[in-house]
Amino acid sequence: MVTLGCARNEVDSEELAGRLEGAGWELVDEQAGADVVVVNTCGFVESAKKDSIDTLLAASDTGAKVVAVGCLAERYGEQLAEQLPEADAVLGFDAYAGLPASLAAVLGGERPASHTPGDRRRLLPISPVERARAVEPGEIDIGLPGHAGGPAVVRRRLDDSPVAPLKLASGCDRRCSFCAIPSFRGAFVSRRPSDVLAEARWLAERGVRELVLVSENSTSYGKDLGDLRLLETLLPELAGLDGVERVRLSYLQPAELRPGLIDVLTGTPGVAPYFDMSFQHSSATVLRRMRRFGDTDRFLDLLARIRSGDPTAAVRSNVIVGFPGETEDDLAELERFLVAARLDAVGVFGYSDEDGTEAETLPDHLPQDLVDERVARLSALVEELTRQRAEERHGEVVEVLVDAVADGVAEGRTAGQAPEVDGATTLAGPGADELAVGDLVRARVVASEGVDLVASVLEVVRPAWRRVAVPA
């Protein structure tokens, strides 16, 4: 099982691995010698599409059968199969429940019909209860474990990390003009709180100490269940589970961030005061073309509200530069926001057309060399600003969850550092060379390099939680 893309894909891969294992398939660590390689692709932006295709081609060189699933397969289906005959099957999301049978067919020399893409925005939203009734007896809809009388969790861990993503919901109802995700992920559907809690307990029993809650838009959680405040009650419940030390919420929409949710994120023990908010821009003119809300001053007011709850709260974001019609004044407004915002981490992306999006048809596209120039300009600014922000953390006492130890050097992440997308913290000082993966350590920040921190160990708050002897 090869996983590309975001943490939501990681969850899908572990659910698929659980289905396959339950049907008698054996998961192997290396592609060499495998009968089938399943590649969970990403189809978000052009570079991710290329990585997915390159990975499929490399897998075909091993001599194994190759099956493409995931966002690229869902988004392009038959077109991908036609242009990439090296893939023995191209399967969409609706084929996940039957993946074991599809793999058996591929091994038997068959070529299952390729997925026919459709705009999932045109499908009526299906509530969790309706979806449970729609599946066959004994089947469990992918992403919604616990329904139809099946086992509580259909998932197999693909690593032994003390950190694991946990899916809150699937799909998105927003219509940002540059984003194709709703067209192939569909309408927003929340998982029931009981299902989320059941899977969280399952993960904790297997040594997971940090839960990273993921979805396409976590601030929408509960709206289809009739209660937008569900997240504000679910987060403390998750943080209170035995073995869970930290709960991190990701993918927040600034326009939907409610005061009550801010209060929970900044004032609940065990819930990271961490805000992953995609501002995308701060010029009101550009944001309206993006079909988004807000502006520099509103965003700064939101950040002030967050920091009044917890001055140490960490904020990360992404911005898009070079959007059609963006002027020098628009860019200067974005720079004004970034300087004032004091964000901990920022991803800078140059605009590029995405198939089927409204932005693709907008007038006043900027030449690529100008987009590249603006990306370089903003990236240099962000690099300096986030370096300064890390320096402001010097002297701060933090809790670090150790997730890697190599050659006597322990590295982990504070509450303000999400896995893979933010910086990391190297632990130093007496006792640092005795730390183990899974330890929760209290430490003082003594130095930084870019966005990465160095912290001196004060004490081990809790040693690595015991691993329960249960099947993988």
Side-chain angles (χ1 to χ4, degrees):
M1 178 73 68
V2 180
T3 307
L4 303 171
C6 65
R8 296 182 292 277
N9 262 15
E10 292 178 27
V11 178
D12 286 351
S13 286
E14 293 197 348
E15 290 173 344
L16 291 174
R19 288 186 183 278
L20 291 167
E21 188 172 65
W25 287 82
E26 178 187 355
L27 187 71
V28 295
D29 294 329
E30 300 292 336
Q31 293 184 31
D35 295 312
V36 184
V37 178
V38 179
V39 181
N40 192 353
T41 61
C42 179
F44 181 41
V45 293
E46 203 59 39
S47 59
K49 298 173 193 174
K50 183 180 184 304
D51 287 345
S52 294
I53 291 172
D54 289 346
T55 302
L56 289 163
L57 290 171
S60 70
D61 290 340
T62 67
K65 299 290 186 179
V66 179
V67 174
V69 298
C71 293
L72 191 72
E74 172 69 32
R75 188 174 179 186
Y76 294 102
E78 296 163 326
Q79 180 184 347
L80 177 64
E82 180 180 334
Q83 297 180 4
L84 197 72
E86 292 85 353
D88 297 280
V90 176
L91 305 175
F93 300 149
D94 293 335
Y96 282 8
L99 187 64
S102 296
L103 265 57
V106 167
L107 270 189
E110 299 179 34
R111 193 176 181 91
S114 300
H115 168 65
T116 302
D119 189 341
R120 288 183 175 266
R121 290 173 297 189
R122 298 179 180 178
L123 300 177
L124 290 175
I126 302 176
S127 74
V129 174
E130 291 169 329
R131 186 172 289 191
R133 292 171 181 160
V135 298
E136 295 296 323
E139 284 283 357
I140 297 177
D141 188 10
I142 196 75
L144 295 169
H147 293 153
V153 177
V154 179
R155 183 168 178 175
R156 184 199 191 281
R157 294 296 319 275
L158 295 178
D159 58 39
D160 59 357
S161 170
V163 183
L166 175 59
K167 191 183 295 183
L168 273 177
S170 295
C172 183
D173 291 337
R174 301 194 71 86
R175 294 295 180 265
C176 301
S177 64
F178 56 83
C179 184
I181 288 176
S183 68
F184 58 86
R185 277 290 184 181
F188 185 89
V189 179
S190 302
R191 292 181 67 192
R192 294 186 299 189
S194 58
D195 293 336
V196 177
L197 284 164
E199 188 167 335
R201 289 191 193 95
W202 183 90
L203 290 167
E205 288 169 357
R206 284 148 182 83
V208 171
R209 310 197 80 199
E210 179 177 323
L211 302 170
V212 182
L213 305 180
V214 299
S215 73
E216 278 73 25
N217 177 12
S218 296
T219 37
S220 283
Y221 181 75
K223 71 174 186 178
D224 53 326
L225 300 177
D227 188 356
L228 263 176
R229 297 171 298 176
L230 272 180
L231 197 53
E232 292 152 39
T233 57
L234 179 61
L235 286 169
E237 288 187 76
L238 290 168
L241 293 176
D242 187 25
V244 173
E245 300 292 349
R246 181 185 292 160
V247 177
R248 183 184 305 278
L249 185 61
S250 58
Y251 305 111
L252 306 178
Q253 167 59 245
E256 297 179 14
L257 193 54
R258 304 172 298 282
L261 183 55
I262 293 174
D263 291 342
V264 170
L265 288 169
T266 57
T268 306
V271 175
Y274 176 82
F275 293 80
D276 173 16
M277 295 189 291
S278 291
F279 290 111
Q280 303 298 2
H281 213 284
S282 72
S283 161
T285 304
V286 174
L287 286 167
R288 299 308 173 270
R289 288 199 195 100
M290 291 179 168
R291 296 205 179 278
R292 294 176 67 89
F293 300 94
D295 54 42
T296 294
D297 293 332
R298 290 181 186 179
F299 291 160
L300 292 177
D301 287 345
L302 176 60
L303 291 172
R305 172 74 175 81
I306 289 168
R307 287 165 177 153
S308 69
D310 186 343
T312 70
V315 184
R316 85 166 323 274
S317 191
N318 298 311
V319 296
I320 297 173
V321 296
F323 194 78
E326 181 189 64
T327 65
E328 277 292 330
D329 286 344
D330 293 326
L331 193 65
E333 183 67 3
L334 178 56
E335 290 173 325
R336 180 173 82 88
F337 168 68
L338 291 171
V339 169
R342 296 168 52 243
L343 304 178
D344 293 84
V346 184
V348 179
F349 298 91
Y351 171 80
S352 62
D353 284 334
E354 277 296 304
D355 297 339
T357 61
E358 180 186 352
E360 188 181 25
T361 66
L362 290 176
D364 302 321
H365 273 56
L366 276 59
Q368 189 60 50
D369 59 346
L370 181 56
V371 174
D372 294 342
E373 176 188 319
R374 291 183 176 182
V375 168
R377 172 175 158 185
L378 263 290
S379 296
L381 174 64
V382 160
E383 183 176 352
E384 174 60 23
L385 292 172
T386 53
R387 181 191 65 79
Q388 293 175 9
R389 179 61 174 154
E391 289 180 350
E392 292 175 6
R393 301 259 180 207
H394 293 187
E396 199 172 289
V397 175
V398 294
E399 284 192 348
V400 180
L401 178 62
V402 179
D403 53 20
V405 177
D407 300 324
V409 178
E411 185 177 274
R413 291 167 302 96
T414 69
Q417 296 171 321
E420 298 184 12
V421 296
D422 299 324
T425 299
T426 300
L427 291 159
D433 57 350
E434 299 175 4
L435 295 172
V437 171
D439 283 344
L440 186 67
V441 180
R442 191 164 171 266
R444 187 181 303 277
V445 178
V446 295
S448 57
E449 183 175 347
V451 296
D452 296 319
L453 305 176
V454 178
S456 180
V457 175
L458 298 175
E459 63 173 330
V460 176
V461 179
R462 259 181 292 283
W465 196 55
R466 65 187 176 89
R467 299 286 172 135
V468 179
V470 292

